[in-house]
Amino acid sequence: MRILLMGNPNVGKSVVFNRLTGIKVIISNYPGTTVEFLEGSMIIDNKKVKIIDAPGTYSLIPSDRAEEAAAHLLMREPTDLVINVVDATNLERNLYLTLQLKELTLPMVLDLNMIDVARERGIEIDTPDLEQALGIPVIPSVAVSGEGIKKLRELIVKILRGNRIENRV
Ligand SMILES: Nc1nc2c(ncn2[C@@H]2O[C@H](COP(=O)(O)OP(=O)(O)O)[C@@H](O)[C@H]2O)c(=O)[nH]1
Ligand SMILES: [Mg+2]
């Protein structure tokens, strides 16, 4: 099983990654480049699930090495779940990648991060509305305080268990 964290740079992917994974984290270089990404794991039903913190990217049509690595990480191996981390204060720009990811029709969750900053700025996001518009689950979070991470973890478990049952049929 493989989970990929994808999103624009500076949206909190690495903080989310750290909260989801244990202490054993491997830093790898994307083959042939200096682009780094992190690999960790989560135990679900006694099984190790790989979690990859992909380099930040604005688009799946890459415009630099980091974006190319992010796109390759997504396409190169089967991915069971994409966690698209977005900055709630910059939703419009962030959703550009979200819509591209959605076209791949992989299981996907939107982590609406930085809602603390959004709240401070008076930005209100109607989560059920967004879920309906995108057709995927949306979990609001504040990665730095841990708010929403338990819900995210529960949702990951639920989706991966569902996958396994589907695959058995
Ligand atoms: N206020 C606030 N800051 C956050 C949140 N999540 C991440 N950050 C901060 O945002 C910055 C970028 O986070 P990072 O995980 O490195 O982003 P990445 O580039 O997507 O991996 C760091 O300074 C984090 O501490 C959040 O939910 N709220
Ligand atoms: Mg990062």
Side-chain angles (χ1 to χ4, degrees), residues 8-15 113-114 116-117 141-144:
N8 293 4
N10 270 312
V11 297
K13 289 180 303 300
S14 296
V15 182
N113 194 39
M114 307 241 183
D116 55 332
V117 187
S141 74
V142 182
V144 282

Side-chain angles (χ1 to χ4, degrees), residues 2 6 9 11 16 23-24 26-27 69 71 118 121 137 153 162 167:
R2 184 176 189 259
M6 299 278 295
V11 297
V16 173
I23 42 168
K24 251 185 79 185
I26 304 165
I27 305 175
R121 295 190 195 161
R153 190 187 290 271
N167 292 342

Side-chain angles (χ1 to χ4, degrees), residues 14-166:
S14 296
V15 182
V16 173
F17 173 84
N18 281 316
R19 291 209 171 260
L20 292 176
T21 56
I23 42 168
K24 251 185 79 185
V25 168
I26 304 165
I27 305 175
S28 307
N29 271 85
Y30 197 77
T33 71
T34 57
V35 177
E36 285 182 348
F37 65 94
L38 303 176
E39 215 176 284
S41 61
M42 206 176 143
I43 304 290
I44 300 176
D45 296 337
N46 294 319
K47 286 206 183 78
K48 209 178 201 178
V49 176
K50 198 192 274 186
I51 307 186
I52 294 165
D53 182 12
T57 185
Y58 292 104
S59 165
L60 293 182
I61 301 152
S63 57
D64 60 37
R65 287 296 226 179
E67 295 202 337
E68 202 174 277
H72 280 181
L73 282 167
L74 180 65
M75 317 288 189
R76 181 181 67 159
E77 274 178 56
T79 301
D80 298 282
L81 176 65
V82 175
I83 301 175
N84 177 205
V85 184
V86 299
D87 175 353
T89 69
N90 236 318
L91 196 55
E92 226 179 277
R93 187 179 69 185
N94 280 248
L95 287 181
Y96 181 74
L97 175 67
T98 305
L99 294 178
Q100 290 188 339
L101 287 168
K102 260 211 54 144
E103 284 186 18
L104 304 173
T105 66
L106 290 165
M108 185 167 151
V109 171
L110 195 81
D111 179 346
L112 187 61
N113 194 39
M114 307 241 183
I115 50 157
D116 55 332
V117 187
R119 275 186 208 128
E120 267 166 35
R121 295 190 195 161
I123 301 168
E124 269 182 58
I125 297 165
D126 187 329
T127 305
D129 240 32
L130 188 60
E131 283 189 327
Q132 204 158 32
L134 294 172
I136 56 173
V138 176
I139 306 278
S141 74
V142 182
V144 282
S145 76
E147 186 183 332
I149 299 297
K150 186 164 170 268
K151 272 205 174 138
L152 180 62
R153 190 187 290 271
E154 284 167 0
L155 187 61
I156 292 169
V157 171
K158 198 174 136 199
I159 291 170
L160 292 189
R161 279 187 188 147
N163 281 358
R164 207 171 302 152
I165 289 161
E166 265 172 43

